[in-house]
Amino acid sequence: MKLRILFIALMATCCVVRAQTYSWKTDAIDGHITDCTATRADNVPQALGHIDQQKGYTAPSGKVYPMSSATAKVAGIVIDAQPKIAHLKQVVAYSAEEMTLLKAECPLVNWFVDIVGQKVEELSGQKIDVTICNLGGVRTSMPKGDVLLDDIQSMFPFRNYLVHLRMKGSSLRGVFEAMAKRRFEALGGVTIEVTGGEITSIMVGDQPLDDEKIYNVATISFLLNGGDHLFLADASLEVNNLDKLIFDAVMEHVNALTAEGKPIAGTDVRHVIIK
């Protein structure tokens, strides 16, 4: 398992934009010099080595670094931090396949969208027709094999909440048409066909989008007032904010899978078909 360092940068936004903009970068760290690997709750000495104030820092490779060295000082900081983050290193699930995060529709994003739709339906008591999330709502890939709480926390680090909307079909169409001109976000419950940058078909379930019908829409609070250029609150007849963080909703789903002995699995379904 590779070590990973994640960076979050909060970018200043213009006063006319009502949501914050974030950037996120993931770098794989090569630990071949010391043979350090990512830790779990039960393997800190094996993954990071150990410190002896008299002898120095002994890396997993067996090499010993004097306490005055930069390597030993950094190792000491990392090792000392482990008890405070031990709860994040617990294995919470198993993934049969790696799901690489793409900047487009992919199995991992579909997995996220499905969870949002299911949880909003459960909490609102309404059958959800359409789910609208953002591609930036997932921040890292899903590893193959054991999945740590740290992995899930890194995927969903922001304090965004689930939301139920009631939206007229014509307004929903307007949201999709705006996406067609910029970028389609993460969607569920719909199949949209696009030709030459113009939408030619929108199916909600197995029925064409009805401009006069009122649809139940699942989304997240970040997209209500300008996040990723979406203003879903303005386009809605009713906004019901649900007291459930995305991270908590995902963990409830993950814990249920694990309790049933089932692995995490995404779906390779295309909701946007560009011709």
Side-chain angles (χ1 to χ4, degrees):
M1 185 185 296
K2 291 183 177 179
L3 291 173
R4 294 179 299 175
I5 291 182
L6 306 176
F7 301 92
I8 303 177
L10 175 61
M11 310 299 291
T13 56
C14 178
C15 61
V16 297
V17 177
R18 290 180 283 169
Q20 296 170 328
T21 300
Y22 298 89
S23 65
W24 188 281
K25 181 181 179 183
T26 303
D27 286 337
I29 305 301
D30 184 352
H32 78 277
I33 295 176
T34 59
D35 285 346
C36 286
T37 57
T39 59
R40 299 190 308 272
D42 60 354
N43 74 339
V44 173
Q46 295 86 350
L48 298 179
H50 62 274
I51 296 286
D52 183 306
Q53 294 297 328
Q54 302 302 318
K55 297 179 180 179
Y57 164 59
T58 302
S61 64
K63 184 173 180 180
V64 178
Y65 297 83
M67 288 304 297
S68 60
S69 67
T71 300
K73 291 176 181 178
V74 171
I77 294 171
V78 175
I79 291 171
D80 287 347
Q82 294 307 302
K84 296 179 181 179
I85 61 174
H87 68 288
L88 292 172
K89 303 301 182 178
Q90 300 293 332
V91 176
V92 295
Y94 181 85
S95 178
E97 300 292 338
E98 179 182 12
M99 289 192 283
T100 302
L101 178 61
L102 306 176
K103 296 298 184 183
E105 199 167 25
C106 63
L108 180 56
V109 168
N110 287 338
W111 180 73
F112 163 52
V113 171
D114 288 346
I115 293 172
V116 170
Q118 292 165 11
K119 284 296 179 180
V120 170
E121 185 167 291
E122 175 186 316
L123 293 169
S124 68
Q126 300 295 318
K127 185 182 183 303
I128 294 301
D129 302 300
V130 177
T131 303
I132 302 175
C133 297
N134 58 327
L135 294 175
V138 186
R139 306 310 301 193
T140 65
S141 298
M142 179 75 71
K144 180 179 180 179
D146 288 342
V147 178
L148 306 181
L149 180 59
D150 190 22
D151 294 314
I152 304 298
Q153 183 71 77
S154 296
M155 289 176 208
F156 306 101
F158 305 125
R159 294 186 62 81
N160 294 316
Y161 288 83
L162 302 184
V163 180
H164 165 243
L165 306 174
R166 292 180 68 252
M167 189 178 295
K168 193 173 181 181
S170 56
S171 298
L172 197 53
R173 184 185 300 277
V175 169
F176 295 145
E177 288 175 345
M179 287 187 187
K181 292 179 171 58
R182 184 179 56 82
R183 181 184 76 172
F184 278 97
E185 297 294 341
L187 303 174
V190 296
T191 302
I192 301 174
E193 293 186 1
V194 182
T195 302
E198 298 293 329
I199 292 176
T200 56
S201 173
I202 303 175
M203 300 292 290
V204 179
D206 59 359
Q207 298 294 319
L209 176 69
D210 183 344
D211 284 348
E212 297 304 315
K213 183 176 178 179
I214 306 302
Y215 291 93
N216 288 302
V217 179
T219 190
I220 62 174
S221 55
F222 178 67
L223 302 181
L224 293 180
N225 298 304
D228 280 337
H229 306 283
L230 293 178
F231 294 84
L232 297 185
D234 292 345
S236 298
L237 298 172
E238 184 178 326
V239 178
N240 300 311
N241 292 288
L242 305 174
D243 188 23
K244 181 71 67 175
L245 288 167
I246 290 174
F247 171 76
D248 292 338
V250 171
M251 281 307 304
E252 288 176 5
H253 178 81
V254 167
N255 289 337
L257 287 178
T258 300
E260 295 172 11
K262 296 178 180 179
I264 289 173
T267 54
D268 193 11
V269 177
R270 289 290 175 267
H271 297 284
V272 179
I273 302 169
I274 299 178
K275 299 180 177 180

